[in-house]
Each structure stands twice: as structure tokens, then as C-alpha cells.
Amino acid sequence: MFTGIVEEIGKIKNIERKQASMRLFIHAEKIMDDVKIGDSIAVNGICLTVTEYQKDWFSVDVMPETMRKTSLSLLRNNGPVNLERAVRLTDRLGGHIVSGHIDGVGRIISRRQEGNAWLITIQTAADILHYIVEKGSIAIDGISLTVVKLVGNAFTVSLIPHTTAVTSLGSKKIGDIVNLENDVIGKYVEKLVGKRIDSFNL
């Protein structure tokens, strides 16, 4: 479980590609303080398991399902990635509940500055937009953000200067692909309400 508050921008050290999977070696500093084999780390919002580590890097295995659902296959050596360790029960929940299980991807179709903020518009599939509400939460590449508005087949978020400085989203360009995770609460509510309605229709 994560909060969507990115701790560090890591860098891809090496990629071992296989036919339908891969292993990532990621350079990091801050999050290496207490890392152990088997730990969960969110890499661009994707919950991955540490399989090996040294003082300033760790490795993770990426299975075929993750390759299909996320943007990890587009990563390149020396590219930046957002990193967050799993939340402790004693930590402040500064963002929102993020599972690290990606629902799909989106494409940046617009970015413009407004005062001290950057407005980024992301186009995505209807099944992801279904769970997005204005002023609700969404995780983009593992970053907890608030939805500003919905427009057609896209939605807009606003980045404060701190977010552009400490995450990789500030350097993303139009056309770039990002990982999206909907707010899990909405999905559970829909399922429970749906079951209740079905029971009334029996």
C-alpha cells in the first residue's frame, strides 16, 4: 500500500529484456536506507518486489501482465522513475490510498502553465474515465493528484511547483504515456452497490 507521495526520482541503471518480461536495475539513494529483499516499491506507480540490491541500486522483475498494462516497456537506460516505499501504519497518509495496481495508461495531450502551476491534460480509455470524478483523486505514475476537470475522453490535473520539482511528471511532454490508477474506494463502492441492486431485482 502506498500514498502517492513520491520520495525520490530514481534512474534506470540497466534493463534486461526478455520476450514478454524484463528485469529493471534502478539507481536510488534515499529509499535504500532500509530496503530488504521482498520489499514492495512503487516504480512509476507500479507495485514491484525487490529481488536484489546493493548500496545504491535495487532490481525488480516485471511480469508479462505488468508489461501489457503499464508503460514500463517504454523505459530506457538513464531514464527517470518515481519511487515510493510501501507505507508504514504509523506514517501520515499525505496523498490517498494507492495500491500500486495500475488500471491502464493515458497519453498527455496538453500542458500549459497557469500562474505557478502546470495544467496537464491526459487522454485515456472510457473504462478508466468511468471512475474519475472532478476534485477526486488519481495516481499518475505513482503521484497522488487531484482531478481539476473532465473533458470528453480526457481529464486535467494541476501540478504545484513542488510536484514538478520532485517527480518525473514535470518533465513529461505531449505524447508521453503515463500509468494511471483510479481511486480504489470508488471501485469497491460500485461493486457493493451493484450487488445490492442485483439482490433487490431477484
Side-chain angles (χ1 to χ4, degrees):
M1 192 65 66
F2 306 93
T3 67
I5 304 299
V6 173
E7 296 183 84
E8 177 180 4
I9 299 178
K11 184 179 286 188
I12 299 297
K13 178 182 172 74
N14 189 34
I15 303 174
E16 292 181 357
R17 297 184 187 274
K18 299 182 180 178
Q19 186 173 356
S21 62
M22 64 183 182
R23 173 173 282 193
L24 298 174
F25 295 82
I26 301 170
H27 171 79
E29 296 177 4
K30 181 177 180 181
I31 68 162
M32 301 305 297
D33 288 345
D34 58 356
V35 73
K36 303 184 296 296
I37 290 176
D39 280 356
S40 293
I41 295 179
V43 179
N44 277 356
I46 303 150
C47 180
L48 297 173
T49 302
V50 175
T51 57
E52 187 181 359
Y53 71 95
Q54 292 293 335
K55 179 182 177 183
D56 62 352
W57 64 267
F58 67 97
S59 68
V60 291
D61 290 316
V62 183
M63 61 185 174
E65 173 66 7
T66 306
M67 296 280 284
R68 286 190 292 268
K69 284 278 191 179
T70 73
S71 66
L72 287 185
S73 62
L74 303 176
L75 291 177
R76 298 291 180 267
N77 284 338
N78 296 314
V81 285
N82 296 316
L83 301 175
E84 180 191 355
R85 290 169 290 188
V87 67
R88 294 186 181 96
L89 291 179
T90 55
D91 286 346
R92 294 183 179 90
L93 189 61
H96 71 281
I97 297 172
V98 177
S99 69
H101 303 155
I102 302 301
D103 292 300
V105 297
R107 181 184 301 273
I108 296 174
I109 60 171
S110 171
R111 54 174 295 146
R112 65 181 177 86
Q113 195 161 12
E114 184 181 61
N116 68 343
W118 279 94
L119 292 175
I120 296 182
T121 302
I122 297 171
Q123 186 180 64
T124 190
D127 59 338
I128 294 177
L129 287 168
H130 175 73
Y131 295 102
I132 298 176
V133 296
E134 292 187 3
K135 306 305 181 236
S137 296
I138 188 163
I140 302 174
D141 274 355
I143 307 158
S144 174
L145 292 167
T146 300
V147 176
V148 175
K149 63 179 177 179
L150 290 161
V151 183
N153 62 350
F155 66 96
T156 299
V157 293
S158 181
L159 307 185
I160 62 172
H162 177 75
T163 304
T164 61
V166 302
T167 75
S168 65
L169 195 53
S171 62
K172 294 281 186 180
K173 301 176 180 64
I174 292 174
D176 283 351
I177 302 299
V178 292
N179 298 308
L180 302 175
E181 181 187 335
N182 291 119
D183 190 346
V184 69
I185 294 174
K187 291 184 278 188
Y188 277 120
V189 169
E190 181 185 61
K191 181 151 191 169
L192 291 170
V193 170
K195 282 187 174 181
R196 179 163 293 186
I197 291 173
D198 288 342
S199 67
F200 288 145
N201 291 334
L202 291 177

